Amino acid sequence: MNMITKDTLIGEILEINPDAAPIFLNMGMHCLGCALASGETVGEAAEVHGVELDGLLAQLNAMV
């Protein structure tokens, strides 16, 4: 994976780097193992959880 974007699936991120889980947990996304979470994009998660997208992407890309 080159870069995480708003369209990257959360499941893909966690598969490549499970250490990214705390970022999602800290934003209030506590059901990382459920089917909806793994098929949800970063952009969708940010919107649903009221998280600023650019900051979230910066955190995730810093880990890649």
Side-chain angles (χ1 to χ4, degrees), residues 1-4 13 16-17 59-64:
M1 176 178 292
N2 292 335
M3 200 148 167
I4 296 170
I13 297 167
I16 292 166
N17 187 356
Q59 287 181 58
L60 292 169
N61 279 301
M63 297 187 79
V64 175

Side-chain angles (χ1 to χ4, degrees), residues 4 7 9-13 26 35 41 52 55-56 58:
I4 296 170
D7 298 315
L9 294 176
I10 292 170
E12 291 175 348
I13 297 167
N26 287 335
T41 66
E52 194 267 323
L56 176 58

Side-chain angles (χ1 to χ4, degrees), residues 21-64:
I23 293 173
F24 293 108
L25 294 172
N26 287 335
M27 66 182 247
M29 189 172 190
H30 298 287
C31 61
L32 294 177
C34 74
L36 286 177
S38 62
E40 191 171 30
T41 66
V42 173
E44 291 167 337
E47 185 176 335
V48 169
H49 294 279
V51 173
E52 194 267 323
L53 180 59
D54 290 334
L56 176 58
L57 288 171
Q59 287 181 58
L60 292 169
N61 279 301
M63 297 187 79
V64 175

